[in-house]
Amino acid sequence: MAIFVHYLSILLISAVIFLLLRAYRLRLLRLPPGNLGLPFVGETLQLISAYKTENPEPFIDERAKRHGSVFTTHVFGEPTVFSADPETNRFILQNEGKLFECSYPGSISNLLGKHSLLLMKGNLHKRMHSLTMSFANSSIIKDQLLVDIDRLIRLNLDSWTDRILLMEAAKKITFELAVKQLMSFDPGEWSESLRKHYVLVIEGFFTVPLPLFSATYRRAIKARREVAGALSKIVKERREEYEKGERKNDMLGALLGGEWEEDQLSNEQIVDFMVALLVAGYETTSTIMTLAVKFLTQTPLALAQLKVKSRGKKYKQNTKVKVGTGNFV
């Protein structure tokens, strides 16, 4: 019993010293007022639980009321300054890369990989960003994107039963389209297996980046290894094909060749880059698609106006465009 009390006393004293040092560091760094919460975890659990409800705003509202519109907290393993002030936010965005440098929580950066476009800086970031934009604006995308979108949506619509979860269906379509544009893979068992691993990776973005404390983060790390392994195999095969003179008009083909002839990217760099690209549109695009359906369903007038506009374009542009053996609207 005496030993237990002794260790408990040491633990309590250590916790008090830790909290005092952290409070002193907060004042030393001249950060905005706020609360750093528990050691290591901070206020991450409160933020996650808030965003799992229908009304996540109180997490910020309560702290803004207590500390002001700009306050300090500790989430996802990082001391973090939140700003709910529009003028402050505008100032930060206008000075990104000048007075402010973009960064991400450890949970996101660890899962995306050190060569991710989101984490790149300097000339390499400019080159990769330029390559991405030039590919997005290329004739390859313009000629094939609408065709692929039409085909994949029709394919998914045909597979729907009486009841579907729209958000999940939108995510599936978005991911299949991204895989097609990046690697020229049609939907199948491989792409669906990859998507399921991606879901686990994304779930790990907003957790404490400590495997010991978070089972979600442990699963995400494991899933990330699976994703990297699957993509590494594809990159290796495609590089061998490229060296034999075989070319494919997709993003992976652009990464393997073109302006990189004299300074080729490593397989690891390409894998990290593609991991980030697949993540980038998965949540955002599917969310926008789902919200569009939701709000159009709830606003019959807007839906009717959209149908009229669509019909007008249809007649004006002669309705269908012939591609290959079929037509698409």
Side-chain angles (χ1 to χ4, degrees), residues 77 187 262:
E262 296 178 2

Side-chain angles (χ1 to χ4, degrees), residues 7 82 190 210:
Y7 281 116
F82 265 77
W190 184 85
L210 298 170

Side-chain angles (χ1 to χ4, degrees), residues 17-36:
I17 293 172
F18 178 84
L19 293 172
L20 288 173
L21 287 173
R22 195 168 62 169
Y24 172 74
R25 180 169 173 261
L26 185 64
R27 288 195 299 271
L28 191 66
L29 292 173
R30 299 177 65 186
L31 294 173
N35 179 23
L36 295 181

Side-chain angles (χ1 to χ4, degrees), residues 14 23 35 59 70 72 80 85 106-107 161 164 180 187 190 198 213 238 258 262 269 277-278 304 326-327:
S14 300
N35 179 23
F59 176 86
V70 180
T72 301
T80 304
D85 180 66
S107 53
T161 56
I164 59 105
K180 178 65 175 176
W190 184 85
Y198 254 94
F213 289 98
R238 286 286 299 275
E262 296 178 2
Q269 285 176 307
L277 286 181
L278 282 168
N327 297 323

Side-chain angles (χ1 to χ4, degrees), residues 295-309:
F295 290 127
L296 284 171
T297 303
Q298 294 175 348
T299 317
L301 178 60
L303 181 59
Q305 290 173 337
L306 184 64
K307 286 181 178 179
V308 169
K309 187 175 180 181

